[in-house]
Amino acid sequence: MFTFLVKMVSTTIEFFAMVLLVLSAFRIYFRYALHKVFFIAVILSLISFYVRDFLGQFNYAFLSIFVIEIVLLTLFFRLPIIFSFFMCIIANIATAIFEGLVTAIGMQMNLTSVQLIQTNLVHFVTWQLVVTALQVLLILFLQRYKIGFHFTINDSMKKYNFWLSAILILSVFALQVQTLILGEFKYHIAIPIVLAIIFLIGIVLSYKHNQKLWKARRERLSKR
């Protein structure tokens, strides 16, 4: 239990930094949205542990995290899903580069190894904290010099974003259910089904909420 909690905290911190990094890279203001970033980081961390560590499905862990990250960014920051897709690609590439760099330097200096990172708690946490520190340094650099991409999000509330989000969620969780049926964890089938239902409800509620906001905005503009 202690090992799980420590890994959970360190992984959440790394995901938190990763989301902040991609928001900074795309010049998205997040000062008053840190609670959203934290929630996204916790969800990604839980999904990562459940799929990778508990179920042992390493091949599907990245896909699950990637898709859920896209959907959460789309919903919480009202972004077009195509931009969320590109943002997540950049976020994961940047994180992979930092992780590879830290691992290579650690191995070159005989401080750690891939096996130690995977099996030793101290090496794992230290490795993640160093990666997070590099991400934070890059975030500070981007914020300080206002460097990053910029795009408009006028079409972020269009219905297709929510339909595509729902399709992605259903596809990933359907794949997860199929894998569980064929594996040794058949009694866990209810978990991805319940999670899929929760995400779909969230997508529907988010769509209705955004529609109300858009309607209120048009009414205000019409009165001017």
Side-chain angles (χ1 to χ4, degrees):
M1 186 64 181
F2 174 77
T3 300
F4 168 76
L5 290 176
V6 173
K7 285 188 174 183
M8 180 70 186
V9 171
S10 63
T11 303
T12 300
I13 292 173
E14 183 181 0
F15 277 127
F16 186 85
M18 182 181 74
V19 176
L20 288 184
L21 176 59
V22 73
L23 292 177
S24 298
F26 282 84
R27 304 288 301 279
I28 297 176
Y29 191 71
F30 56 78
R31 182 177 178 181
Y32 298 106
L34 293 178
H35 61 289
K36 297 180 181 179
V37 178
F38 177 74
F39 180 79
I40 293 173
V42 171
I43 294 297
L44 294 179
S45 183
L46 288 172
I47 295 295
S48 174
F49 272 103
Y50 177 69
V51 177
R52 182 179 292 138
D53 294 350
F54 189 76
L55 298 180
Q57 297 177 359
F58 299 96
N59 295 331
Y60 296 109
F62 173 77
L63 178 62
S64 300
I65 294 169
F66 184 71
V67 169
I68 292 173
E69 185 181 2
I70 291 173
V71 173
L72 291 177
L73 283 176
T74 300
L75 297 180
F76 281 102
F77 291 94
R78 301 175 190 168
L79 302 173
I81 197 167
I82 187 65
F83 287 116
S84 296
F85 174 77
F86 287 121
M87 289 171 66
C88 290
I89 288 179
I90 292 176
N92 284 276
I93 289 176
T95 301
I97 291 174
F98 283 137
E99 290 178 346
L101 182 63
V102 172
T103 303
I105 293 175
M107 293 175 62
Q108 188 68 28
M109 299 176 65
N110 294 321
L111 296 176
T112 189
S113 66
V114 174
Q115 185 177 4
L116 282 173
I117 293 173
Q118 293 175 344
T119 59
N120 186 282
L121 180 62
V122 175
H123 282 258
F124 176 79
V125 172
T126 302
W127 173 72
Q128 282 198 318
L129 292 179
V130 173
V131 171
T132 301
L134 293 175
Q135 291 175 320
V136 171
L137 288 175
L138 183 55
I139 291 170
L140 294 175
F141 175 79
L142 294 175
Q143 292 287 323
R144 173 67 177 82
Y145 294 100
K146 302 185 185 303
I147 300 173
F149 305 98
H150 183 69
F151 56 82
T152 60
I153 56 174
N154 292 329
D155 60 340
S156 60
M157 289 189 244
K158 289 186 177 179
K159 189 180 293 187
Y160 76 88
N161 288 295
F162 299 91
W163 277 110
L164 288 176
S165 297
I167 291 171
L168 286 173
I169 287 294
L170 288 174
S171 299
V172 169
F173 283 105
L175 181 63
Q176 196 72 60
V177 168
Q178 182 181 8
T179 306
L180 289 174
I181 292 175
L182 298 175
E184 301 176 355
F185 298 94
K186 295 181 180 180
Y187 52 90
H188 286 282
I189 292 176
I191 295 177
I193 293 176
V194 171
L195 289 175
I197 293 173
I198 292 173
F199 271 99
L200 289 175
I201 292 174
I203 290 171
V204 172
L205 293 177
S206 178
Y207 173 72
K208 290 184 177 179
H209 177 66
N210 284 340
Q211 287 295 102
K212 290 181 180 179
L213 292 177
W214 183 247
K215 183 179 179 180
R217 181 184 176 187
R218 283 186 296 180
E219 289 177 353
R220 288 197 304 269
L221 292 175
S222 64
K223 293 179 181 179
R224 292 182 179 180

Short mmCIF file of all heavy atoms in Angstrom, two decimals, residues 1-43:
data_model
loop_
_atom_site.label_atom_id
_atom_site.label_comp_id
_atom_site.label_asym_id
_atom_site.label_seq_id
_atom_site.Cartn_x
_atom_site.Cartn_y
_atom_site.Cartn_z
N MET A 1 0.83 -1.21 0.00
CA MET A 1 0.00 0.00 0.00
C MET A 1 0.86 1.26 0.00
O MET A 1 0.57 2.23 -0.71
CB MET A 1 -0.91 -0.01 1.23
CG MET A 1 -1.92 1.12 1.25
SD MET A 1 -3.09 0.98 -0.11
CE MET A 1 -4.10 2.42 0.17
N PHE A 2 1.94 1.22 0.81
CA PHE A 2 2.85 2.37 0.88
C PHE A 2 3.49 2.62 -0.48
O PHE A 2 3.58 3.77 -0.94
CB PHE A 2 3.91 2.13 1.94
CG PHE A 2 4.97 3.20 1.98
CD1 PHE A 2 4.72 4.44 2.56
CD2 PHE A 2 6.23 2.97 1.43
CE1 PHE A 2 5.69 5.42 2.59
CE2 PHE A 2 7.20 3.95 1.45
CZ PHE A 2 6.94 5.18 2.03
N THR A 3 3.94 1.54 -1.12
CA THR A 3 4.57 1.66 -2.44
C THR A 3 3.60 2.26 -3.45
O THR A 3 3.97 3.14 -4.24
CB THR A 3 5.06 0.28 -2.93
OG1 THR A 3 6.00 -0.25 -2.00
CG2 THR A 3 5.71 0.41 -4.30
N PHE A 4 2.35 1.79 -3.42
CA PHE A 4 1.34 2.31 -4.34
C PHE A 4 1.13 3.81 -4.13
O PHE A 4 1.06 4.58 -5.08
CB PHE A 4 0.02 1.56 -4.15
CG PHE A 4 -1.15 2.21 -4.84
CD1 PHE A 4 -1.31 2.09 -6.21
CD2 PHE A 4 -2.07 2.94 -4.11
CE1 PHE A 4 -2.38 2.70 -6.85
CE2 PHE A 4 -3.15 3.54 -4.74
CZ PHE A 4 -3.30 3.41 -6.12
N LEU A 5 1.01 4.23 -2.86
CA LEU A 5 0.75 5.64 -2.56
C LEU A 5 1.91 6.52 -3.02
O LEU A 5 1.70 7.60 -3.59
CB LEU A 5 0.50 5.82 -1.07
CG LEU A 5 -0.82 5.24 -0.53
CD1 LEU A 5 -0.89 5.40 0.98
CD2 LEU A 5 -2.01 5.90 -1.19
N VAL A 6 3.14 6.06 -2.75
CA VAL A 6 4.31 6.85 -3.15
C VAL A 6 4.38 6.97 -4.67
O VAL A 6 4.60 8.06 -5.21
CB VAL A 6 5.60 6.21 -2.60
CG1 VAL A 6 6.83 6.93 -3.17
CG2 VAL A 6 5.62 6.26 -1.08
N LYS A 7 4.18 5.85 -5.37
CA LYS A 7 4.20 5.88 -6.83
C LYS A 7 3.06 6.73 -7.38
O LYS A 7 3.22 7.44 -8.37
CB LYS A 7 4.10 4.46 -7.39
CG LYS A 7 5.39 3.66 -7.28
CD LYS A 7 5.25 2.34 -8.03
CE LYS A 7 6.57 1.59 -8.06
NZ LYS A 7 6.47 0.34 -8.84
N MET A 8 1.91 6.65 -6.72
CA MET A 8 0.75 7.42 -7.14
C MET A 8 1.04 8.91 -7.05
O MET A 8 0.74 9.68 -7.97
CB MET A 8 -0.44 7.06 -6.26
CG MET A 8 -1.72 7.81 -6.60
SD MET A 8 -2.41 7.30 -8.17
CE MET A 8 -3.74 8.51 -8.29
N VAL A 9 1.63 9.33 -5.96
CA VAL A 9 1.95 10.75 -5.76
C VAL A 9 2.97 11.22 -6.79
O VAL A 9 2.78 12.27 -7.44
CB VAL A 9 2.46 11.00 -4.33
CG1 VAL A 9 2.99 12.43 -4.20
CG2 VAL A 9 1.36 10.76 -3.31
N SER A 10 4.05 10.47 -6.96
CA SER A 10 5.10 10.89 -7.89
C SER A 10 4.61 10.88 -9.33
O SER A 10 4.94 11.77 -10.13
CB SER A 10 6.33 9.99 -7.75
OG SER A 10 6.03 8.65 -8.11
N THR A 11 3.79 9.90 -9.68
CA THR A 11 3.24 9.84 -11.04
C THR A 11 2.26 10.98 -11.29
O THR A 11 2.25 11.57 -12.38
CB THR A 11 2.54 8.49 -11.27
OG1 THR A 11 3.46 7.42 -11.03
CG2 THR A 11 2.05 8.38 -12.71
N THR A 12 1.45 11.29 -10.29
CA THR A 12 0.51 12.41 -10.42
C THR A 12 1.26 13.72 -10.61
O THR A 12 0.86 14.57 -11.43
CB THR A 12 -0.39 12.51 -9.17
OG1 THR A 12 -1.13 11.29 -9.03
CG2 THR A 12 -1.37 13.68 -9.30
N ILE A 13 2.35 13.90 -9.88
CA ILE A 13 3.16 15.11 -10.02
C ILE A 13 3.72 15.22 -11.42
O ILE A 13 3.71 16.30 -12.04
CB ILE A 13 4.30 15.12 -8.97
CG1 ILE A 13 3.72 15.27 -7.56
CG2 ILE A 13 5.30 16.24 -9.27
CD1 ILE A 13 4.76 15.11 -6.47
N GLU A 14 4.20 14.09 -11.97
CA GLU A 14 4.75 14.12 -13.33
C GLU A 14 3.67 14.44 -14.36
O GLU A 14 3.88 15.24 -15.27
CB GLU A 14 5.42 12.79 -13.67
CG GLU A 14 6.08 12.81 -15.05
CD GLU A 14 6.72 11.50 -15.42
OE1 GLU A 14 6.64 10.54 -14.62
OE2 GLU A 14 7.28 11.41 -16.53
N PHE A 15 2.49 13.82 -14.23
CA PHE A 15 1.39 14.11 -15.15
C PHE A 15 0.94 15.57 -15.01
O PHE A 15 0.60 16.23 -16.00
CB PHE A 15 0.21 13.19 -14.89
CG PHE A 15 0.33 11.85 -15.56
CD1 PHE A 15 0.19 10.68 -14.83
CD2 PHE A 15 0.56 11.75 -16.92
CE1 PHE A 15 0.30 9.43 -15.45
CE2 PHE A 15 0.68 10.52 -17.54
CZ PHE A 15 0.54 9.35 -16.80
N PHE A 16 0.93 16.07 -13.78
CA PHE A 16 0.57 17.47 -13.54
C PHE A 16 1.52 18.39 -14.31
O PHE A 16 1.07 19.33 -14.98
CB PHE A 16 0.64 17.75 -12.04
CG PHE A 16 0.15 19.12 -11.64
CD1 PHE A 16 -1.20 19.35 -11.42
CD2 PHE A 16 1.04 20.17 -11.48
CE1 PHE A 16 -1.66 20.61 -11.05
CE2 PHE A 16 0.60 21.43 -11.11
CZ PHE A 16 -0.76 21.65 -10.89
N ALA A 17 2.81 18.13 -14.21
CA ALA A 17 3.81 18.94 -14.93
C ALA A 17 3.67 18.78 -16.43
O ALA A 17 3.82 19.75 -17.19
CB ALA A 17 5.22 18.55 -14.48
N MET A 18 3.34 17.56 -16.89
CA MET A 18 3.20 17.33 -18.32
C MET A 18 2.04 18.13 -18.90
O MET A 18 2.15 18.74 -19.97
CB MET A 18 2.98 15.84 -18.59
CG MET A 18 2.86 15.49 -20.07
SD MET A 18 2.58 13.73 -20.39
CE MET A 18 0.85 13.61 -19.91
N VAL A 19 0.90 18.16 -18.19
CA VAL A 19 -0.25 18.93 -18.67
C VAL A 19 0.06 20.42 -18.65
O VAL A 19 -0.27 21.15 -19.60
CB VAL A 19 -1.49 18.63 -17.81
CG1 VAL A 19 -2.67 19.50 -18.25
CG2 VAL A 19 -1.88 17.15 -17.91
N LEU A 20 0.71 20.91 -17.59
CA LEU A 20 1.10 22.32 -17.54
C LEU A 20 2.05 22.67 -18.67
O LEU A 20 1.98 23.77 -19.24
CB LEU A 20 1.75 22.64 -16.20
CG LEU A 20 0.85 22.68 -14.96
CD1 LEU A 20 1.67 23.10 -13.74
CD2 LEU A 20 -0.31 23.64 -15.16
N LEU A 21 2.94 21.74 -19.00
CA LEU A 21 3.90 21.98 -20.08
C LEU A 21 3.20 22.17 -21.41
O LEU A 21 3.51 23.11 -22.15
CB LEU A 21 4.89 20.81 -20.16
CG LEU A 21 5.91 20.86 -21.31
CD1 LEU A 21 6.75 22.13 -21.22
CD2 LEU A 21 6.79 19.62 -21.28
N VAL A 22 2.25 21.31 -21.73
CA VAL A 22 1.58 21.43 -23.02
C VAL A 22 0.67 22.66 -23.05
O VAL A 22 0.53 23.31 -24.09
CB VAL A 22 0.79 20.14 -23.33
CG1 VAL A 22 -0.45 20.01 -22.49
CG2 VAL A 22 0.43 20.09 -24.81
N LEU A 23 0.07 23.02 -21.91
CA LEU A 23 -0.74 24.24 -21.87
C LEU A 23 0.15 25.47 -22.08
O LEU A 23 -0.24 26.41 -22.77
CB LEU A 23 -1.47 24.34 -20.53
CG LEU A 23 -2.57 23.30 -20.27
CD1 LEU A 23 -3.15 23.47 -18.87
CD2 LEU A 23 -3.68 23.39 -21.31
N SER A 24 1.34 25.44 -21.49
CA SER A 24 2.29 26.54 -21.68
C SER A 24 2.76 26.61 -23.12
O SER A 24 2.90 27.70 -23.69
CB SER A 24 3.49 26.36 -20.74
OG SER A 24 3.11 26.38 -19.40
N ALA A 25 3.00 25.44 -23.72
CA ALA A 25 3.49 25.40 -25.10
C ALA A 25 2.47 25.96 -26.08
O ALA A 25 2.83 26.47 -27.14
CB ALA A 25 3.86 23.97 -25.48
N PHE A 26 1.18 25.90 -25.71
CA PHE A 26 0.13 26.41 -26.59
C PHE A 26 -0.50 27.70 -26.05
O PHE A 26 -1.62 28.06 -26.44
CB PHE A 26 -0.95 25.34 -26.80
CG PHE A 26 -0.55 24.30 -27.81
CD1 PHE A 26 0.23 23.22 -27.43
CD2 PHE A 26 -0.91 24.41 -29.14
CE1 PHE A 26 0.62 22.26 -28.35
CE2 PHE A 26 -0.53 23.46 -30.07
CZ PHE A 26 0.24 22.38 -29.67
N ARG A 27 0.23 28.34 -25.14
CA ARG A 27 -0.17 29.66 -24.64
C ARG A 27 -1.60 29.66 -24.08
O ARG A 27 -2.36 30.62 -24.27
CB ARG A 27 -0.05 30.71 -25.74
CG ARG A 27 1.32 30.83 -26.40
CD ARG A 27 2.32 31.48 -25.46
NE ARG A 27 1.88 32.80 -25.08
CZ ARG A 27 2.04 33.89 -25.85
NH1 ARG A 27 2.66 33.78 -27.02
NH2 ARG A 27 1.63 35.06 -25.43
N ILE A 28 -1.98 28.60 -23.39
CA ILE A 28 -3.30 28.52 -22.77
C ILE A 28 -3.18 28.92 -21.31
O ILE A 28 -2.40 28.33 -20.56
CB ILE A 28 -3.89 27.10 -22.89
CG1 ILE A 28 -4.09 26.75 -24.37
CG2 ILE A 28 -5.22 26.99 -22.13
CD1 ILE A 28 -4.57 25.35 -24.60
N TYR A 29 -3.94 29.91 -20.90
CA TYR A 29 -3.85 30.45 -19.55
C TYR A 29 -4.42 29.43 -18.55
O TYR A 29 -5.56 28.97 -18.70
CB TYR A 29 -4.64 31.76 -19.47
CG TYR A 29 -4.41 32.55 -18.20
CD1 TYR A 29 -3.20 33.18 -17.97
CD2 TYR A 29 -5.42 32.65 -17.25
CE1 TYR A 29 -2.99 33.91 -16.81
CE2 TYR A 29 -5.22 33.38 -16.08
CZ TYR A 29 -4.00 34.01 -15.87
OH TYR A 29 -3.79 34.71 -14.72
N PHE A 30 -3.63 29.08 -17.55
CA PHE A 30 -4.07 28.03 -16.63
C PHE A 30 -3.98 28.43 -15.16
O PHE A 30 -4.19 27.59 -14.27
CB PHE A 30 -3.23 26.76 -16.83
CG PHE A 30 -1.75 26.96 -16.68
CD1 PHE A 30 -1.15 27.06 -15.44
CD2 PHE A 30 -0.94 27.03 -17.81
CE1 PHE A 30 0.21 27.23 -15.30
CE2 PHE A 30 0.44 27.22 -17.68
CZ PHE A 30 1.01 27.32 -16.42
N ARG A 31 -3.70 29.68 -14.87
CA ARG A 31 -3.51 30.10 -13.48
C ARG A 31 -4.71 29.77 -12.61
O ARG A 31 -4.56 29.35 -11.46
CB ARG A 31 -3.22 31.61 -13.43
CG ARG A 31 -2.97 32.12 -12.02
CD ARG A 31 -2.62 33.59 -12.03
NE ARG A 31 -2.42 34.10 -10.68
CZ ARG A 31 -2.12 35.36 -10.39
NH1 ARG A 31 -1.97 36.24 -11.38
NH2 ARG A 31 -1.95 35.74 -9.14
N TYR A 32 -5.91 29.98 -13.14
CA TYR A 32 -7.12 29.71 -12.37
C TYR A 32 -7.74 28.36 -12.75
O TYR A 32 -8.92 28.12 -12.45
CB TYR A 32 -8.13 30.83 -12.58
CG TYR A 32 -7.62 32.17 -12.09
CD1 TYR A 32 -7.23 33.15 -12.99
CD2 TYR A 32 -7.51 32.44 -10.73
CE1 TYR A 32 -6.74 34.38 -12.54
CE2 TYR A 32 -7.03 33.65 -10.27
CZ TYR A 32 -6.65 34.62 -11.18
OH TYR A 32 -6.16 35.82 -10.74
N ALA A 33 -6.97 27.51 -13.40
CA ALA A 33 -7.48 26.19 -13.79
C ALA A 33 -6.57 25.08 -13.25
O ALA A 33 -6.60 23.96 -13.76
CB ALA A 33 -7.57 26.10 -15.31
N LEU A 34 -5.80 25.37 -12.21
CA LEU A 34 -4.88 24.37 -11.66
C LEU A 34 -5.65 23.19 -11.07
O LEU A 34 -5.14 22.06 -11.08
CB LEU A 34 -3.98 25.00 -10.60
CG LEU A 34 -2.97 26.04 -11.12
CD1 LEU A 34 -2.17 26.63 -9.97
CD2 LEU A 34 -2.02 25.39 -12.13
N HIS A 35 -6.84 23.44 -10.56
CA HIS A 35 -7.64 22.32 -10.02
C HIS A 35 -8.04 21.36 -11.14
O HIS A 35 -8.13 20.15 -10.93
CB HIS A 35 -8.88 22.87 -9.30
CG HIS A 35 -9.80 23.66 -10.16
ND1 HIS A 35 -9.48 24.93 -10.64
CD2 HIS A 35 -11.05 23.37 -10.66
CE1 HIS A 35 -10.48 25.38 -11.38
NE2 HIS A 35 -11.44 24.46 -11.40
N LYS A 36 -8.29 21.91 -12.34
CA LYS A 36 -8.60 21.05 -13.48
C LYS A 36 -7.38 20.23 -13.88
O LYS A 36 -7.50 19.02 -14.17
CB LYS A 36 -9.07 21.90 -14.67
CG LYS A 36 -10.35 22.68 -14.43
CD LYS A 36 -10.72 23.47 -15.67
CE LYS A 36 -11.99 24.28 -15.45
NZ LYS A 36 -12.35 25.07 -16.65
N VAL A 37 -6.23 20.87 -13.89
CA VAL A 37 -4.99 20.17 -14.23
C VAL A 37 -4.72 19.06 -13.23
O VAL A 37 -4.33 17.95 -13.59
CB VAL A 37 -3.81 21.16 -14.28
CG1 VAL A 37 -2.50 20.41 -14.58
CG2 VAL A 37 -4.05 22.24 -15.32
N PHE A 38 -4.93 19.35 -11.95
CA PHE A 38 -4.72 18.35 -10.91
C PHE A 38 -5.66 17.17 -11.09
O PHE A 38 -5.25 16.00 -10.96
CB PHE A 38 -4.92 18.98 -9.52
CG PHE A 38 -4.79 17.99 -8.38
CD1 PHE A 38 -3.55 17.51 -8.01
CD2 PHE A 38 -5.92 17.56 -7.71
CE1 PHE A 38 -3.44 16.59 -6.97
CE2 PHE A 38 -5.82 16.64 -6.67
CZ PHE A 38 -4.57 16.15 -6.31
N PHE A 39 -6.92 17.45 -11.39
CA PHE A 39 -7.90 16.38 -11.59
C PHE A 39 -7.48 15.51 -12.77
O PHE A 39 -7.55 14.27 -12.70
CB PHE A 39 -9.28 16.98 -11.83
CG PHE A 39 -10.36 15.95 -12.05
CD1 PHE A 39 -10.91 15.27 -10.99
CD2 PHE A 39 -10.79 15.66 -13.34
CE1 PHE A 39 -11.90 14.30 -11.19
CE2 PHE A 39 -11.78 14.70 -13.56
CZ PHE A 39 -12.33 14.03 -12.48
N ILE A 40 -7.07 16.13 -13.87
CA ILE A 40 -6.61 15.37 -15.04
C ILE A 40 -5.42 14.50 -14.68
O ILE A 40 -5.35 13.33 -15.06
CB ILE A 40 -6.25 16.33 -16.19
CG1 ILE A 40 -7.50 17.04 -16.72
CG2 ILE A 40 -5.54 15.58 -17.33
CD1 ILE A 40 -7.22 18.12 -17.75
N ALA A 41 -4.47 15.06 -13.92
CA ALA A 41 -3.28 14.31 -13.53
C ALA A 41 -3.63 13.10 -12.66
O ALA A 41 -3.07 12.01 -12.85
CB ALA A 41 -2.31 15.22 -12.78
N VAL A 42 -4.56 13.27 -11.74
CA VAL A 42 -4.98 12.16 -10.87
C VAL A 42 -5.65 11.06 -11.70
O VAL A 42 -5.35 9.86 -11.51
CB VAL A 42 -5.93 12.65 -9.77
CG1 VAL A 42 -6.53 11.47 -9.01
CG2 VAL A 42 -5.19 13.56 -8.80
N ILE A 43 -6.54 11.44 -12.61
CA ILE A 43 -7.22 10.45 -13.45
C ILE A 43 -6.21 9.68 -14.30
O ILE A 43 -6.26 8.44 -14.38
CB ILE A 43 -8.26 11.13 -14.36
CG1 ILE A 43 -9.39 11.73 -13.52
CG2 ILE A 43 -8.82 10.14 -15.38
CD1 ILE A 43 -10.18 10.72 -12.73
#
